[in-house]
Amino acid sequence: MRSVLFLSAFALTALPLSAAATTYSTLDGTAPEVIAHRGASGYQPEHTLASYELAALMGADYIEPDVVITKDGVAIAMHDTTLTRTTNVEDVFPGRASYEASEFTLAEIRSLTVDITPAHQLSDSSIPGYVPSTGTPYLVPTLQEVVDFVIDFNAKNGTNIGLYPELKTADDALNRIIVETLIAAGFDGPEDKVFIQSFDLQTLQDVKAIQEELGSDIPQVALGAAQMVNGVAYLIRSLTEGTALDAIVDFVDAVGPSLLSLPALGIGVTQEYVDYAHNLDLLVHPYTFNTWDSDAAYSEFEPYFDMGIDGFFTNYTDVAIAAIETYGPEPSPVPLPATALLLLSGIGLIAMRRRG
Ligand code: G3P
Ligand code: CA
């Protein structure tokens, strides 16, 4: 008995203890992943190397580039299919018949400046003194440059930031370029922190076929709005067009539902919806959290953290990370401090004497 008591106390000292912390009801039990939507686009012009770099410095888990294709077949990071909203194309190329990105060569697009004012100043961010490390931070980057930036940042900083590209157009050439670019960079499977997303289910099926042909297994994400109808979870594109999650599990690994909430129509990300997706082994990554004020943002995040969302898109990586820290860090084994070792050894010895 003595030795059992002593050994019990000693054994306790040899085992790591779990920190008392929040338990997340995500699929893997860890804190939700922070996906930097268009980079740190609340503070820097969206889809620029500066925006991606700031998000990386803030601690994003994933960088999100939307991707379209140029006239000469190069994948570039851009949300819109036209250049007008985010660049000075109308000043540089006045009177062009079309401002579709697909009507411009990469060389032409590289002569543009991304010219969009973010909602907040850098001085409002957690890194107010941020200075971009590249000399050309506000050009339209190619997908390859975004991939290279992430690889380089991870190598220099010991981080493991992932990539989360979105196919913005249904284009066979673009599908293939994205898969080939990711494979060539070593982002070719679920262990590599990478997702490919699209609103278009046919595109995702086509990408799946390309992946099977090329031997990759990059997880795929279907985007849309969430709707529950008669106990079945759907991803919808309009009130008349939707697909049950059960019908997409063969080619997607996650759903990216909009935060649009219309409870009277069953539309919105709810506990029932998250549970339904999780029962199908689908991750849930809603988009897009866009509240800058930290108190208001926390109130917005908290119910979704309670539901167990596995990740989320945000324009404010810093605000999102602060919200996760407030909600509670994920439980992690912590080594027992030396004082606790002595204390437990002492308890063992006392127990031996009392029973001796
Ligand atoms: O990809 C998730 C979210 O970014 C979809 O919306 O329009 O910002 O690409 P959008
Ligand atoms: Ca997107």
Side-chain angles (χ1 to χ4, degrees):
M1 190 61 184
R2 283 179 197 169
S3 57
V4 170
L5 275 171
F6 184 78
L7 282 173
S8 298
F10 191 79
L12 276 172
T13 67
L15 288 171
L17 293 185
S18 286
T22 306
T23 300
Y24 287 91
S25 50
T26 50
L27 262 185
D28 68 1
T30 63
E33 305 266 24
V34 178
I35 305 155
H37 181 246
R38 312 182 192 183
S41 56
Y43 304 113
Q44 287 287 281
E46 67 179 63
H47 291 311
T48 59
L49 290 178
S51 187
Y52 301 138
E53 182 177 53
L54 182 60
L57 290 167
M58 286 175 169
D61 294 301
Y62 289 87
I63 299 294
E64 190 228 10
D66 295 323
V67 186
V68 300
I69 194 164
T70 65
K71 186 175 183 179
D72 46 346
V74 181
I76 57 171
M78 179 162 290
H79 176 273
D80 303 2
T81 56
T82 59
L83 298 163
T84 46
R85 181 180 64 86
T86 57
T87 76
N88 60 346
V89 67
E90 288 168 297
D91 296 335
V92 178
F93 296 100
R96 279 275 282 251
S98 160
Y99 289 113
E100 292 285 324
S102 60
E103 293 297 318
F104 283 73
T105 63
L106 178 65
E108 288 176 324
I109 290 173
R110 293 293 279 192
S111 70
L112 308 176
T113 300
V114 178
D115 185 17
I116 182 168
T117 307
H120 283 271
Q121 310 270 339
L122 261 178
S123 55
D124 294 335
S125 80
S126 64
I127 310 182
Y130 167 67
V131 177
S133 67
T134 166
T136 53
Y138 301 113
L139 302 185
V140 177
T142 63
L143 173 64
Q144 187 64 57
E145 285 176 309
V146 182
V147 171
D148 291 345
F149 159 72
V150 168
I151 291 172
D152 191 47
F153 187 95
N154 283 338
K156 284 181 179 155
N157 296 281
T159 49
N160 186 27
I161 298 168
L163 283 156
Y164 209 123
E166 179 186 349
L167 285 144
K168 275 299 184 196
T169 54
D171 183 305
D172 286 343
L174 182 58
N175 295 348
R176 191 166 286 271
I177 289 170
I178 289 186
V179 175
E180 288 177 346
T181 302
L182 293 173
I183 291 174
F187 290 90
D188 59 8
E191 67 286 355
D192 295 318
K193 285 199 76 170
V194 60
F195 289 91
I196 292 176
Q197 44 161 340
S198 179
F199 282 97
D200 186 45
L201 297 181
Q202 184 58 55
T203 292
L204 289 170
Q205 287 175 290
D206 294 345
V207 171
K208 185 76 176 175
I210 292 170
Q211 292 215 67
E212 284 168 2
E213 176 195 329
L214 300 180
S216 63
D217 188 21
I218 299 164
Q220 302 196 160
V221 187
L223 305 168
Q227 186 177 30
M228 292 298 304
V229 180
N230 298 328
V232 176
Y234 288 80
L235 210 52
I236 63 170
R237 292 176 61 85
S238 70
L239 284 179
T240 57
E241 189 187 356
T243 307
L245 301 193
D246 311 70
I248 62 175
V249 289
D250 286 348
F251 57 95
V252 307
D253 308 88
V255 288
S258 161
L259 290 173
L260 173 71
S261 178
L262 298 169
L265 297 175
I267 292 174
V269 178
T270 60
Q271 186 68 65
E272 189 182 12
Y273 193 89
V274 173
D275 290 346
Y276 194 103
H278 281 177
N279 283 335
L280 292 171
D281 218 22
L282 292 172
L283 299 162
V284 182
H285 293 168
Y287 70 90
T288 296
F289 288 91
N290 188 33
T291 300
W292 171 80
D293 175 80
S294 57
D295 290 340
Y298 186 76
S299 300
E300 191 179 356
F301 278 122
E302 190 176 30
Y304 292 99
F305 291 171
D306 287 345
M307 288 176 208
I309 62 167
D310 304 278
F312 56 87
F313 295 80
T314 176
N315 295 334
Y316 300 103
T317 290
D318 53 354
V319 173
I321 288 175
I324 290 172
E325 285 169 356
T326 300
Y327 190 83
E330 60 195 275
S332 57
V334 292
L336 214 55
T339 46
L341 268 168
L342 289 171
L343 181 66
L344 286 169
S345 299
I347 292 169
L349 286 170
I350 291 166
M352 283 173 67
R353 285 193 178 154
R354 283 200 175 154
R355 284 166 174 75

